[in-house]
Amino acid sequence: MSGEGGSDSERNAVATDEAAHWFVILRGPDPDRHRPDFVKWRDASELNRVAFEQVAATFDGAEVLKRSAAPRHRRPPLLRLDTRSWIGGALATSVAVALATGVVRGPLLKLQQTASDGRATTFATRHGTMRTVQLAQGASLALDSATEVHFEEQDGEPVVTVVKGRAQLRLPGGGTEWVVRVDDSEIISRNGIFDVSWSGGKAPYVQLYAGEAMTRPVLQSAGYVVGRHGLPTGLSMRLARGRAEPLQPRFAADERDWPQGWVQYRSVPLADLLHTVNRYAAKPIILSDPALGRLRISGRFRIVDPSAVALNLGRVFALTVTERPEGFYIDRP
């Protein structure tokens, strides 16, 4: 099963990028000269209009920038990092810098942010959204739906802490050793590509797709130091106090492309597939007969497009699909 076109999160990111660009231009010199082009862009789609309102609301509801070097000027607003907003901290930083310096060089939203004062920077997503953040030294961090991650540097060492949800870290290699903390465990890597997931109630898990990574406990006794343990490639591993144990999967899965909105499953029960898809759904897929959840299917699925998944399931299993205000219902014929 497959589909084409960008995901909602990708379209949101593009619209937010452009909205941030227009936000700064309209607060720069000679805004009236640019206003006709802005109105044309804003009215081109509802997504553009909403994106600009989100950008403006984030700025207008903010705190204040540090005091200007020129004491005669009032302090302009500082953007607050609002983890409830899909605009996120990177947009806040970009807009604040552009407004303070008067610099506008094309699109502002590059989803890149680093903490310069030693404090942790928070990145977060709401239900149904994803985002990818470019970190220092060419590393990238993808956040799944309803995820919160902190990034900071401790004694020159980059540290990523997964607070909740799922994140994928891609490291470019080199001499820098990255540390990813989750619950009571740490993953250490220089060149790894891996997922880290934690719901808070259960033990976290990690899956290494490429490169090398090791685990260790966050806290250790001074009298007994636990060594590092290498992670195997391609296996989902449960973490506890720095030790990794293999999980027994319910079905074969390749989820490394989830940041692009795709997963590949073999013989997955419909109940499990819909649990994944509904994480991104404004309208969930609902099985009228729970027994349908035991049916199994294989394929590559566009998890961020619930309507397409529902229609494909209807075709494959000769089921009826009905769209209602509360969701897509799948019934026996």
Side-chain angles (χ1 to χ4, degrees), residues 35-297:
R35 197 170 301 280
D37 289 335
F38 161 72
V39 172
K40 182 178 179 181
W41 168 85
R42 183 196 61 192
D43 295 344
S45 73
E46 179 69 9
L47 183 61
N48 290 350
R49 184 189 65 78
V50 172
F52 188 80
E53 290 177 355
Q54 291 270 10
V55 172
T58 299
F59 181 79
D60 292 339
E63 299 170 350
V64 294
L65 279 171
K66 296 179 180 178
R67 184 179 300 275
S68 168
R72 64 179 178 276
H73 295 304
R74 292 175 60 86
R75 293 181 292 178
L78 169 67
L79 298 173
R80 183 191 312 121
L81 294 181
D82 186 353
T83 58
R84 296 170 297 176
S85 169
W86 55 271
I87 295 174
L91 170 62
T93 298
S94 298
V95 174
V97 170
L99 288 173
T101 62
V103 175
V104 180
R105 296 190 181 96
L108 289 171
L109 183 59
K110 297 181 181 178
L111 291 180
Q112 179 171 344
Q113 181 177 8
T114 57
S116 59
D117 57 2
R119 294 181 298 176
T121 300
T122 297
F123 302 104
T125 55
R126 297 188 304 172
H127 170 80
T129 64
M130 300 179 187
R131 66 179 297 195
T132 298
V133 180
Q134 299 301 319
L135 298 178
Q137 305 174 38
S140 67
L141 176 69
L143 282 72
D144 200 359
S145 171
T147 295
E148 181 178 341
V149 175
H150 298 165
F151 171 68
E152 60 188 318
E153 288 196 2
Q154 296 182 359
D155 299 325
E157 185 177 66
V159 177
V160 175
T161 302
V162 178
V163 178
K164 65 176 181 178
R166 177 169 64 169
Q168 184 177 110
L169 193 65
R170 290 176 173 260
L171 303 177
T176 301
E177 191 172 74
W178 287 68
V179 176
V180 178
R181 290 177 180 159
V182 57
D183 196 19
D184 55 9
S185 300
E186 291 182 339
I187 302 109
I188 307 98
S189 179
R190 289 185 171 89
N191 63 352
I193 300 175
F194 54 91
D195 284 350
V196 180
S197 181
W198 191 34
S199 63
K202 300 179 181 179
Y205 74 83
V206 58
Q207 182 164 5
L208 178 67
Y209 297 117
E212 297 178 345
M214 294 174 287
T215 63
R216 69 186 180 195
V218 172
L219 299 175
Q220 300 201 39
S221 168
Y224 177 69
V225 177
V226 178
R228 300 181 179 187
H229 300 273
L231 283 173
T233 303
L235 295 178
S236 186
M237 309 289 289
R238 180 186 291 108
L239 293 174
R241 294 182 296 279
R243 296 185 180 274
E245 297 180 354
L247 288 171
Q248 297 299 323
R250 287 167 47 84
F251 51 90
D254 183 352
E255 295 187 318
R256 75 181 66 198
D257 292 332
W258 66 259
Q260 289 76 49
W262 293 95
V263 296
Q264 187 165 331
Y265 295 145
R266 189 175 66 198
S267 192
V268 56
L270 289 196
D272 291 81
L273 173 60
L274 298 190
H275 176 75
T276 298
V277 173
N278 286 340
R279 294 178 61 193
Y280 310 96
K283 281 188 174 184
I285 302 174
I286 302 168
L287 298 176
S288 295
D289 182 357
L292 293 174
R294 295 194 292 271
L295 294 174
R296 290 180 176 263
I297 189 172

Side-chain angles (χ1 to χ4, degrees), residues 6-28:
S7 67
D8 289 344
S9 61
E10 291 168 345
R11 290 190 290 270
N12 284 345
V14 171
T16 306
D17 190 342
E18 295 172 350
H21 179 59
W22 281 115
F23 182 84
V24 176
I25 286 179
L26 294 179
R27 282 154 180 78

